Amino acid sequence: MTGLVGVFDSGIGGLSILQALRAELPQSRFIYIADSGHAPYGERSDEHVMTRSRAIMAELVKRQAQALVIACNTATAVAIEQLRADYPDLPIIGVEPALKPSLALSQTGRIGVMATRSTLASAKFKTLLASLASQAEFVVQPCDGLADSIQRSTGSTDTSDIKLLCAKYTQAMGSFGIHRGQIDTLVLGCTHYPFAVEQLRELLGPQVQFVSNGPAVARHTRLKLSQKVLPAAAQSERCKATAQVVFLSTGEPQVLLAAAQRWLQQRLAEPLFLVDELNV
Ligand code: DGL
């Protein structure tokens, strides 16, 4: 049996998680929903994010998903507990800013965290931060508009908005580098931000390390699947990905199509590639 795994985000950001999932679970099939008709999540109310997350989950379950990955830090922070209560028999995996992995990487003990306003304000993030605060100094920065500008620049060569916002937010965080008192490690706490690494690298130089959670979430998903409903899918060894993906969008399918082609293309061996307008 090959498993069908549902994955969702407010837009294209979750593709950074899907990349890792496809590498880790090459025998699985995926349905990816970009809720771009109702994005961005990170600057909307918790009620909005909760309502949308429940609607998207219901759609994925209707389409026979046997496990779910919330490929969005904001939706995880706001809605994962409710979704697990709604679907107690389904494995539901979320994503949170990679604070723990960043501890092992930082030499200066000063770690930057970029995320959406909503993620940083959530009780879940505050608890995580408090549990690690004695081990390093975390400089947290809400990045209004950044996910949206990454979303909008898909398929275009004009990345000037992304550059401007990255410059504004990294300047606000202080000095970056590998010397004492500098931020040497930057947590990309929104799944859109790995798609701005080029711009961040240009601003911060080659020595700053970027941390995101894709590979860890993918490994955790495989573990969960092997314990629960999809053992055969989880057994697959890392190998050339042949995983199939169905892409759906509540907003502009062309944006999702362009992003999937750009970020996943090399690994799309035999994709079942279907872009659709969803009215959920
Ligand atoms: N990609 C999402 C996250 O990881 C949020 C982007 C948005 O604000 O919609 O938080």
Side-chain angles (χ1 to χ4, degrees):
M1 178 175 80
T2 54
L4 181 60
V5 181
V7 181
F8 82 91
D9 178 44
S10 63
I12 64 162
L15 296 177
S16 64
I17 303 290
L18 184 62
Q19 277 174 337
L21 285 168
R22 294 178 72 234
E24 191 71 33
L25 293 162
Q27 304 297 314
S28 288
R29 291 175 299 127
F30 297 92
I31 307 183
Y32 183 93
I33 297 185
D35 195 17
S36 42
H38 305 267
Y41 283 181
E43 291 144 54
R44 307 288 280 272
S45 68
D46 284 3
E47 194 191 355
H48 173 82
V49 177
M50 180 70 85
T51 305
R52 293 309 307 158
S53 300
R54 292 179 97 176
I56 298 293
M57 272 289 291
E59 181 66 26
L60 288 167
V61 170
K62 198 177 91 191
R63 289 172 183 261
Q64 317 291 331
Q66 294 151 292
L68 290 125
V69 177
I70 307 173
C72 174
N73 293 267
T74 310
T76 300
V78 172
I80 195 167
E81 275 155 32
Q82 182 62 54
L83 297 181
R84 284 183 173 147
D86 291 347
Y87 302 93
D89 297 329
L90 280 191
I92 299 180
I93 295 100
V95 49
E96 66 181 14
L99 267 55
K100 286 179 204 154
S102 73
L103 284 174
L105 295 171
S106 176
Q107 297 293 315
T108 63
R110 216 170 142 73
I111 297 168
V113 184
M114 293 170 75
T116 68
R117 177 168 296 282
S118 219
T119 296
L120 297 178
S122 69
K124 207 166 166 40
F125 179 78
K126 286 182 179 157
T127 306
L128 175 69
L129 186 63
S131 72
L132 304 173
S134 63
Q135 298 179 54
E137 195 176 343
F138 290 98
V139 181
V140 301
Q141 179 62 46
C143 300
D144 289 359
L146 183 54
D148 193 38
S149 74
I150 292 168
Q151 184 84 22
R152 278 186 291 100
S153 77
T154 306
S156 137
T157 48
D158 181 6
T159 55
S160 50
D161 278 0
I162 300 178
K163 271 185 210 153
L164 276 175
L165 287 172
C166 285
K168 174 175 153 188
Y169 293 131
T170 53
Q171 271 161 26
M173 296 169 86
S175 172
F176 283 80
I178 54 169
H179 301 296
R180 215 167 140 215
Q182 292 186 309
I183 299 172
D184 67 348
T185 306
L186 182 59
V187 175
L188 306 178
C190 164
T191 54
H192 280 70
Y193 301 169
F195 299 133
V197 153
E198 220 175 279
Q199 289 77 25
L200 286 165
R201 171 78 59 220
E202 212 174 282
L203 285 163
L204 304 177
Q207 289 170 323
V208 173
Q209 315 174 81
F210 301 115
V211 199
S212 53
N213 253 347
V217 169
R219 283 194 299 277
H220 186 59
T221 303
R222 185 149 74 88
L223 188 73
K224 280 274 204 187
L225 298 193
S226 66
Q227 290 163 347
K228 279 239 174 174
V229 288
L230 307 172
Q235 269 164 24
S236 328
E237 283 172 18
R238 279 173 163 273
C239 61
K240 187 169 145 258
T242 55
Q244 294 186 327
V245 189
V246 173
F247 291 97
L248 300 156
S249 171
T250 60
E252 297 162 348
Q254 289 316 317
V255 171
L256 180 59
L257 177 61
Q261 279 171 342
R262 178 164 175 201
W263 301 111
L264 303 176
Q265 191 184 30
Q266 286 109 355
R267 299 207 192 122
L268 284 177
E270 288 178 49
L272 173 58
F273 199 88
L274 188 137
V275 177
D276 214 357
E277 286 266 9
L278 256 189
N279 289 312
V280 292

